[in-house]
Amino acid sequence: MAVSVEPIPERDAVALTWSIDSDVARRWGAPAAAAVSGYDVWVCLEDLCIPWNTRGRLWTTDHLDLPNQLVAQSVPVTLELRVVVEWADGTRSAAIAAPFVVPPIYDVPPSADFELGRADVLVDNDARLQAGLTYWPDGGVGLATIDGTTYGFASNGPRCSRWRIDPHRFLGEVLARSEPIRAIDHELDYASGSSVWVDPDTGTVLLFFHEEVHPDGDDLRFWSAIGLAVSHDAGATFTSLGRIISPNITIDDPRRVALTEVGGAPFVVHDGMFHIYFRETLASGAVLNMSVARAPVAEVLAEALAGRAIEWRKHRDGAWSEPGLGGAASDLFEPSAATRWFDAIHLADPDIYAMVCSDGMSDTWAYSIRTSDDGVRWTSPERLGEVEVGGELLYLALAAPDPARSKVVVGDTFDLYRTRSASGGGRRWDDAVLERRCVHVVARPR
């Protein structure tokens, strides 16, 4: 099978056309001249396959339009088309597969304000596995200093891990390998995270965590949301206070094509408000690149100390008008290359916020960076570093050099932590390593 690819900017889509040799009919017992009645079609990224015909109907033509929201990258994207042919006599072929490459849809210029330093391996695959961190870090990495000790937080698959960070050893003593969040909803198949905030007065630790529901046990069609948990023992244990942000689309909506990803719940504090960033999926099925919800820090903390979570509000059309649970947010980054994973940080001088997003699929990845004065209106993306080929670079996290104020940068550098895997996808935990790259502020963003 041969696949041709043609971007169609006016339709915000990429056209795929495939051709199948006449020998295919003979191979599966159909007459060589038999007419094709239709195709079952899947578009696949490694183990994740999206069926393109719905409700059991055959795809009756040899072409389809792939929406840009799935492949709108600033780097080349390699996917696979899988087709089962049905002929007029009812004979069906086995699945026929062929890779195809979607060229970059968006152009992202290099940044003049930020430079990305070399990659240093902090935890290699052997050290990770020997420490019992089988699915780690499954998302971002969070740092916090509590009572003079610096801790790291990250997801080890569906549960939490915590370790001590020593002056010359990032992965010091592992204090919790796979600690469940207490009192989570029974429907959740995944509840963990790394996005932590420490109250300087009480030492209370808040965790904004990523949660998932896997309908019918299918983890490739998960629906995710953001929950809030509280710890009164320096992050040793967390107790859920409930869900605070969820997509506009519901779990059982038939317009959900595949997985519904919100991200790892990164946050910044602006004017006394927590801003949590997430990927929104609307009830229409449209996926937004970046959205935000907020709540007052003082109220979130006060209610957390009382064992409750307050209502959050999503930003829509210039106002904080939508409920965090099920409301419909606006896209802060439209139009833009699709974001995969992301984190934000506060630069104290010149008092702005920076956000870095990963962009890519399969084995081709890049980073983009934006800045904002208010955490809502963001500049156009600029390329941070070079496009990297060979392995997966999906997850990332940002932290200041001072772990006591890990989300506030004082100076001209901050760190980008990332999970690198040569295999990627469902095989990433066969060889994943944790790396760190320094981000240098070479000019004050305009």
Side-chain angles (χ1 to χ4, degrees), residues 187-315:
E187 72 169 342
L188 296 182
D189 297 288
Y190 187 115
S192 185
S194 61
S195 195
V196 293
W197 177 85
V198 182
D199 175 39
D201 296 324
T202 65
T204 302
V205 186
L206 300 182
L207 171 68
F208 304 109
F209 65 90
H210 173 100
E211 59 180 45
E212 295 176 6
V213 178
H214 301 168
D216 300 320
D218 186 353
D219 60 358
L220 294 181
R221 292 195 69 254
F222 70 74
W223 178 92
S224 62
I226 296 171
L228 173 63
V230 63
S231 173
H232 303 290
D233 55 10
T237 60
F238 285 97
T239 300
S240 175
L241 303 177
R243 185 175 294 162
I244 57 174
I245 299 170
S246 64
N248 183 228
I249 199 167
T250 59
I251 298 173
D252 56 358
D253 194 309
R255 288 167 291 191
R256 279 205 327 117
V257 176
L259 56 83
T260 301
E261 176 65 87
V262 295
F267 72 92
V268 297
V269 175
H270 174 70
D271 284 348
M273 293 278 190
F274 283 122
H275 284 199
I276 290 184
Y277 298 95
F278 60 97
R279 292 184 65 193
E280 174 74 286
T281 303
L282 299 177
S284 64
V287 179
L288 308 187
N289 286 311
M290 188 60 57
S291 298
V292 64
R294 76 175 188 181
V297 172
E299 294 181 27
V300 171
L301 177 61
E303 290 298 291
L305 292 173
R308 299 184 294 268
I310 70 168
E311 181 183 47
W312 290 63
R313 306 296 295 179
K314 292 182 180 180
H315 187 268

Side-chain angles (χ1 to χ4, degrees), residues 80-391:
E80 184 179 76
L81 186 70
R82 296 182 190 175
V83 173
V84 171
V85 186
E86 182 172 303
W87 288 278
D89 66 355
T91 305
R92 291 172 65 86
S93 75
I96 307 164
F100 63 94
V101 178
V102 179
I105 303 297
Y106 287 94
D107 177 49
V108 177
S111 175
D113 299 327
F114 299 92
E115 291 182 350
L116 194 58
R118 71 178 189 183
D120 295 320
V121 176
L122 295 179
V123 184
D124 64 23
N125 188 55
D126 289 343
R128 177 179 64 85
L129 295 176
Q130 288 171 8
L133 302 173
T134 310
Y135 308 102
W136 178 95
D138 190 19
V141 171
L143 282 64
T145 297
I146 306 170
D147 294 331
T149 300
T150 299
Y151 300 96
F153 299 85
S155 296
N156 184 17
R159 295 186 174 185
C160 299
S161 70
R162 183 178 66 118
W163 66 96
R164 192 180 65 245
I165 299 176
D166 299 330
H168 303 292
R169 187 183 181 195
F170 185 80
L171 184 62
E173 181 185 3
V174 177
L175 304 170
R177 290 175 176 81
S178 187
E179 179 71 27
I181 296 174
R182 302 179 180 188
I184 61 169
D185 193 296
H186 66 86
E187 72 169 342
L188 296 182
D189 297 288
Y190 187 115
S192 185
S194 61
S195 195
V196 293
W197 177 85
V198 182
D199 175 39
D201 296 324
T202 65
T204 302
V205 186
L206 300 182
L207 171 68
F208 304 109
F209 65 90
H210 173 100
E211 59 180 45
E212 295 176 6
V213 178
H214 301 168
D216 300 320
D218 186 353
D219 60 358
L220 294 181
R221 292 195 69 254
F222 70 74
W223 178 92
S224 62
I226 296 171
L228 173 63
V230 63
S231 173
H232 303 290
D233 55 10
T237 60
F238 285 97
T239 300
S240 175
L241 303 177
R243 185 175 294 162
I244 57 174
I245 299 170
S246 64
N248 183 228
I249 199 167
T250 59
I251 298 173
D252 56 358
D253 194 309
R255 288 167 291 191
R256 279 205 327 117
V257 176
L259 56 83
T260 301
E261 176 65 87
V262 295
F267 72 92
V268 297
V269 175
H270 174 70
D271 284 348
M273 293 278 190
F274 283 122
H275 284 199
I276 290 184
Y277 298 95
F278 60 97
R279 292 184 65 193
E280 174 74 286
T281 303
L282 299 177
S284 64
V287 179
L288 308 187
N289 286 311
M290 188 60 57
S291 298
V292 64
R294 76 175 188 181
V297 172
E299 294 181 27
V300 171
L301 177 61
E303 290 298 291
L305 292 173
R308 299 184 294 268
I310 70 168
E311 181 183 47
W312 290 63
R313 306 296 295 179
K314 292 182 180 180
H315 187 268
R316 180 180 176 87
D317 296 335
W320 302 94
S321 56
E322 292 284 320
L325 295 176
S330 291
D331 197 338
L332 305 181
F333 286 0
E334 190 178 16
S336 170
T339 53
R340 297 302 173 197
W341 207 255
F342 45 94
D343 199 2
I345 201 163
H346 182 196
L347 306 180
D349 180 14
D351 192 21
I352 61 171
Y353 303 93
M355 183 179 293
V356 177
C357 302
S358 63
D359 167 20
M361 293 183 187
S362 188
D363 65 347
T364 304
W365 293 84
Y367 298 118
S368 61
I369 189 166
R370 302 170 186 256
T371 59
S372 172
D373 294 326
D374 60 4
V376 175
R377 295 166 297 178
W378 294 85
T379 59
S380 298
E382 296 181 334
R383 176 76 71 228
L384 179 63
E386 303 295 327
V387 174
E388 298 183 63
V389 179

